[in-house]
């Protein structure tokens, strides 16, 4: 997994009309060749083709994804996981109503500089200027509007993935208390779909297509027949990504409806990740061979990198800058933007400790995380040690965050 | 995959699905590499349908498949849903068309004139009205392939179920009032072999008669089961049909000529039903003439076309927001009516599930009881004098001039 010169970086001499057409494929190749382990490649490869090459999520028709998991029944109703039962109790008590509990009468004007959706310096405007593009303040606001709508659209698509995956996981999990808890998560995810969709539909009036890389992750874990891979993918990785993104936006937005919506959602997500950690910790420690454990450890690492490197709002690029910037230049803009830096920080501070807690952060893989600059999160607090309230108060304590200019 | 079928290949559904998917996959890659075309960035939300939280009155697109000029002044527009399926409706109902003219959204009701039969293409027929912005817009701008936006169908000008005996349906129509009547009479003739139809149809000149040829064709087809009595106000030389305006004396004369509503009283073999649709003077005259013949009110049905063109220009009812309380299904909800909003718009925006259908004062679905406060309505609308007297208002054309409390009774 050493740094290689990506096919993308070998491209710049092509005429731009050709480049624009083939760039996405080199990008896909780039993602796929970065995966060295054949087993991981076999598990992510087909999803990569469906998402990155065939763009199944963008064909304008519903997507059908087959799954071969087994529904696990137990007719003796064992009380097998007291901690999950406790989560079930908390989930029942913590239900809220997206219709009643949020103030939908708040009017949202994404182009109003007085109540910014995200701070002005969310993007690296200097970089954009460096590449020869000057945006007026009004354009800057509209670009931010697009970006926020893009992020929330991806949240929505991710929540749809979570809704369907949570239902699969509820079928497949072998803990009976886990099934009861899982049912509450299905309801939670439905509510998240409802509120994100409503926000986009009535407040931002815009819905982006699913990002190809997000499609790859959802496709891979929906199609995998092993329940623990679904768990790992959805409850740890995608929920971790979601917590990172929600947490980042929660901290920086000044828009009151969005802030209260995210606050509610984050408290639900805290339970979801906690559940994932409980279920996998036990399973990985007691049920898997070392080879199986290593496979999952590598898989998690690859997906973490995919999430870190590839969640790059190309749809916003295509809408705004196609033909003006190359995809590589756009990558640079996004990768050096303060907003994205904060997103990564929040995401990995949650994700890495959780991987440690479930036993997927052995000394074998640590150097690779360190190489990716993630060593500082090794000793963080895992979801098992955090409940809903501490999660949100930690974000509040971090303050109504102004992104520091770099 | 039309080409494969043309080759005579019989494809099973799973194979067809796979081929469809392959075609989409190839067109994604081919489109990008060969044509330099990429997938759209945004999700197309235009066919998404009404949301539970709809903050505006939902409308949906329909496609014009054919335009037929019926007379100098009137054209028929054949319509289908965007997925190619026929528009579901009951004979006699209308669609509300929502049209943007000069930046203003205008809503107008046009009846579906087609019989309610499975394979019959659906059409509305629109006659140019003097000053009629929407009727001119449709006649000037609609062609095959045009996308229009509609609500509904709505309306209660329907055929009641048969009582067990066949019916004799008597229609009295004036001018463009013929449109729902065509749908009703065509449906009766095609689906009730023992029922019969009489139509008294008033127009100014012979060339103003909409559907003259279609009516003649129906006569050919159904013989004695259909009688058509054309009455012209300005008949051409040599005209042998009825003459005059459809006023009480002329109607009496036509009743006699057709042997309708005679002294012998109602027949035991059939139910006589009367359907009225036309300009208000004609409707009043018909009620008067029928009363004189002792036709029971219960056997008379009517469609009152409201004419929003006659409405006063964009009146300002209130310049300040007004609180509105809604009692609905035993529950209580509060919201605020902003200046320029109707009660319906304010309710929907506040997430209150107020009933409605045509949204232009024509069907009465949104009728509510005004418990407190004052509401003014755009006129004319379909609310009867008795309903107004009893304290009802229509939310779709109602404006709050002060705080108000309304109750949804159904």
């Amino acid at each position: 997994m050493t740094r290689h010169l990506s096919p993308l970086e070998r491209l710049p001499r092509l005429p731009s009309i050709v480049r624009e057409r083939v760039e996405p494929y080199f990008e896909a190749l780039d993602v796929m060749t970065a995966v060295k382990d054949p087993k991981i490649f076999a598990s992510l490869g087909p999803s990569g083709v469906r998402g990155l090459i065939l763009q199944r999520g963008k064909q304008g028709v519903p997507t059908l994804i087959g799954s071969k998991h087994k529904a696990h029944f137990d007719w003796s109703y064992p009380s097998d996981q007291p901690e999950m039962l406790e989560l079930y109790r908390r989930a029942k008590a913590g239900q809220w109503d997206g219709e009643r509990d949020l103030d939908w009468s708040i009017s949202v004007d994404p182009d109003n500089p007085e109540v910014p959706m995200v701070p002005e310096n969310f993007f690296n405007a200097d970089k954009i200027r460096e590449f020869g593009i000057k945006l007026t303040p009004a354009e800057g606001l509209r670009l931010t509007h697009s970006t926020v709508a893009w992020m929330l659209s991806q949240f929505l698509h991710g929540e749809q993935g979570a809704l369907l995956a949570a239902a699969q996981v509820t079928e497949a999990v072998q803990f009976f208390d886990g099934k009861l808890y899982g049912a509450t998560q299905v309801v939670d995810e439905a509510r998240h779909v409802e509120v994100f969709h409503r926000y986009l539909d009535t407040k931002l009036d815009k819905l982006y297509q699913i990002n190809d890389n997000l499609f790859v992750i959802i496709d891979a874990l929906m199609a995998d027949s092993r329940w623990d891979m679904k768990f790992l993918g959805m409850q740890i990785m995608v929920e971790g990504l979601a917590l990172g993104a929600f947490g980042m936006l929660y901290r920086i937005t000044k828009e009151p409806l969005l802030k209260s919506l995210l606050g509610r959602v984050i408290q639900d997500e805290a339970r979801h990740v906690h559940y994932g950690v409980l279920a996998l910790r036990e399973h990985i420690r007691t049920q898997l061979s070392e080879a199986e454990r290593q496979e999952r450890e590598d898989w998690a690492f690859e997906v973490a990198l995919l999430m870190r490197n590839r969640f790059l709002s190309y749809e916003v690029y295509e809408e705004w800058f196609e033909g003006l910037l190359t995809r590589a230049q756009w990558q640079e803009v996004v990768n050096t933007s303060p907003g994205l830096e904060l997103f990564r920080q929040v995401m990995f501070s949650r994700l890495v400790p959780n991987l440690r807690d479930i036993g997927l952060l052995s000394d074998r893989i640590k150097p690779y995380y360190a190489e990716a600059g993630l060593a500082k999160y090794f000793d963080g607090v895992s979801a098992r040690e955090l409940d809903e309230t501490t999660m949100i108060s930690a974000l509040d304590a971090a303050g109504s965050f102004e992104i520091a200019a770099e | 995959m039309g080409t494969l079928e043309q080759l005579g290949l019989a494809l099973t559904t799973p194979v067809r699905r796979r081929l469809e998917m392959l075609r989409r996959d190839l067109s994604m890659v081919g489109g990008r590499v060969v044509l330099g075309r990429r997938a759209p960035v945004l999700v197309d939300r235009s066919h998404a349908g009404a949301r539970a939280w709809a903050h505006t009155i939902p409308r949906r697109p329909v496609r014009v498949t054919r335009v037929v000029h019926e007379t100098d002044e009137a054209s028929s527009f054949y319509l289908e849903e965007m997925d190619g399926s026929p528009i579901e409706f009951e004979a006699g109902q209308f669609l509300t068309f929502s049209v943007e003219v000069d930046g203003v959204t205008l809503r107008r009701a046009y009846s579906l004139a087609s019989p309610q039969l499975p394979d019959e293409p659906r059409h509305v027929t629109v006659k140019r009205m003097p000053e009629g912005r929407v009727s001119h817009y449709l006649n000037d701008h609609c062609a095959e392939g045009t996308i229009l936006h509609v609500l509904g169908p709505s309306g209660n000008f329907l055929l009641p179920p048969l009582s067990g005996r066949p019916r004799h349906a008597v229609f009295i129509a004036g001018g463009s009032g013929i449109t729902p009547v065509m749908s009703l009479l065509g449906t009766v003739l095609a689906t009730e072999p023992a029922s019969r139809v009489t139509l008294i149809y008033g127009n100014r000149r012979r060339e103003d008669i909409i559907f003259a040829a279609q009516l003649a064709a129906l006569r050919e087809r159904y013989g004695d089961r259909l009688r058509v009595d054309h009455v012209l106000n300005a008949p051409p030389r040599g005209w042998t049909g009825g003459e005059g305006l459809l006023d009480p004396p002329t109607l009496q004369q036509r009743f006699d000529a057709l042997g309708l509503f005679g002294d012998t009283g109602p027949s035991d073999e059939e139910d006589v039903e009367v359907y009225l649709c036309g300009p208000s003077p004609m409707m009043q005259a018909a009620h008067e003439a029928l009363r004189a013949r002792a036709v029971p009110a219960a056997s008379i049905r009517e469609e009152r076309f409201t004419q929003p063109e006659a409405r006063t220009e964009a009146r300002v009812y209130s310049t300040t927001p007004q609180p509105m309380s809604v009692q609905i299904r035993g529950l209580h909800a509060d919201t605020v009516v902003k200046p320029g909003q109707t009660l319906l718009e304010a309710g929907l925006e506040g997430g209150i599930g107020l009933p409605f259908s045509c949204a232009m004062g024509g069907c009465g679905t949104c009728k509510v009881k005004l418990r407190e406060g004052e509401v003014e309505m755009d006129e004319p609308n379909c609310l009867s004098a008795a309903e107004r007297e009893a304290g009802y208002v229509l939310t779709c054309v109602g404006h709050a001039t002060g705080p108000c409390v309304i109750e949804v009774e159904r």
Side-chain angles (χ1 to χ4, degrees), chain B residues 82 94 126 132 137 168 178 187 226 231 244 256 303 332-333 349 402:
Chain B
M82 295 304 286
F94 62 86
V126 180
Y137 178 89
H168 177 195
I178 189 67
T187 307
L226 171 63
V231 182
D256 288 336
E303 178 76 313
H332 181 98
E349 186 174 301

Side-chain angles (χ1 to χ4, degrees), chain A residues 309-372:
Chain A
N309 298 339
R310 304 293 165 181
F311 208 55
L312 292 175
S313 56
Y314 280 127
E315 290 76 11
V316 176
Y317 159 78
E318 286 171 355
E319 186 183 29
W320 278 77
F321 298 111
E322 198 171 35
L324 301 172
L325 296 178
T326 65
R327 286 169 89 87
Q329 284 173 325
W330 175 252
Q331 251 188 44
E332 208 179 323
V333 170
V334 177
N335 279 329
T336 55
S337 287
L340 195 86
E341 188 46 45
L342 180 61
F343 156 64
R344 288 174 174 170
Q345 203 181 308
V346 181
M347 174 173 85
F348 286 107
S349 68
R350 297 279 177 241
L351 182 62
V352 176
N354 289 337
L355 289 171
R356 183 198 66 216
D357 205 5
I358 60 177
L360 295 185
L361 191 66
S362 69
D363 289 340
R364 176 184 152 272
I365 197 93
K366 269 187 178 170
Y368 295 102
Y369 278 100
E371 193 188 333

Side-chain angles (χ1 to χ4, degrees), chain A residues 21 24-25 52-56 58-59 61 194 197-198 201-202 205-209 315 318-319 322, chain B residues 21 24-25 28-30 32-36 38-43 45 51 53 55 349-351:
Chain A
R21 292 178 189 192
Y25 297 109
L52 302 173
I53 307 288
L54 304 177
Q55 296 188 292
R56 286 269 171 88
K58 286 181 173 157
Q59 294 188 352
V61 293
E194 174 199 336
H197 187 198
R198 182 169 181 171
D201 197 50
T202 65
D205 200 18
K206 206 171 188 186
L207 176 58
Y208 283 84
Q209 298 237 65
E315 290 76 11
E318 286 171 355
E319 186 183 29
E322 198 171 35
Chain B
M21 190 189 268
R24 282 196 305 268
D25 286 348
M28 290 307 275
V29 178
R32 194 147 73 175
V33 177
V34 181
L35 306 173
R38 58 163 168 69
V41 165
L42 298 176
V43 174
R45 296 182 298 146
R51 306 285 187 213
W53 54 77
H55 60 310
E349 186 174 301

Side-chain angles (χ1 to χ4, degrees), chain B residues 168-233:
Chain B
H168 177 195
V170 178
F171 295 96
I172 303 174
S176 57
I178 189 67
T179 48
V181 167
M182 271 311 269
S183 171
L184 292 166
L185 69 83
T187 307
V188 169
L189 291 169
T191 61
E192 299 171 12
S195 293
R196 62 192 182 110
V197 170
T198 300
L199 166 65
I200 301 171
Y201 183 14
N203 279 289
R204 205 168 76 80
R205 304 167 306 165
R206 186 158 63 186
E207 50 272 36
D208 295 330
I209 300 175
I210 309 174
F211 304 132
Q214 289 92 325
L215 285 166
L218 287 172
R219 281 271 305 142
E220 283 282 296
R221 180 158 177 200
Y222 293 106
D224 288 347
R225 293 181 54 216
L226 171 63
R227 291 189 296 172
V228 180
D229 184 39
H230 287 293
V231 182
L232 294 181
N233 183 22

Side-chain angles (χ1 to χ4, degrees), chain B residues 122-289:
Chain B
R122 318 298 203 220
H123 71 275
V124 295
T125 301
V126 180
K127 184 179 172 187
R128 286 181 193 269
M129 305 301 283
E131 308 282 304
R133 281 176 291 176
V134 177
S135 60
H136 281 290
Y137 178 89
L138 292 174
N139 275 284
D140 294 340
H141 291 95
C142 268
E144 186 184 329
T146 303
I147 307 292
L148 295 170
H149 289 87
V150 302
L151 283 80
S154 8
N156 308 308
F157 190 47
L158 307 173
L159 294 169
L162 286 174
S163 65
R165 291 181 299 191
R167 68 178 113 220
H168 177 195
V170 178
F171 295 96
I172 303 174
S176 57
I178 189 67
T179 48
V181 167
M182 271 311 269
S183 171
L184 292 166
L185 69 83
T187 307
V188 169
L189 291 169
T191 61
E192 299 171 12
S195 293
R196 62 192 182 110
V197 170
T198 300
L199 166 65
I200 301 171
Y201 183 14
N203 279 289
R204 205 168 76 80
R205 304 167 306 165
R206 186 158 63 186
E207 50 272 36
D208 295 330
I209 300 175
I210 309 174
F211 304 132
Q214 289 92 325
L215 285 166
L218 287 172
R219 281 271 305 142
E220 283 282 296
R221 180 158 177 200
Y222 293 106
D224 288 347
R225 293 181 54 216
L226 171 63
R227 291 189 296 172
V228 180
D229 184 39
H230 287 293
V231 182
L232 294 181
N233 183 22
R237 205 184 292 269
W239 174 256
T240 55
E243 286 185 35
L245 276 174
L246 290 186
D247 52 15
T250 309
L251 281 168
Q252 294 297 356
Q253 185 206 343
R254 298 326 301 162
F255 293 165
D256 288 336
L258 293 161
L260 290 169
F261 318 120
D263 300 333
T264 52
S267 139
D268 291 338
E269 283 148 28
E270 58 183 15
D271 291 324
V272 177
E273 295 161 357
V274 187
Y275 298 82
L276 311 177
C277 186
S280 350
M282 186 218 89
M283 305 279 269
Q284 273 169 20
H287 279 291
E288 198 177 307

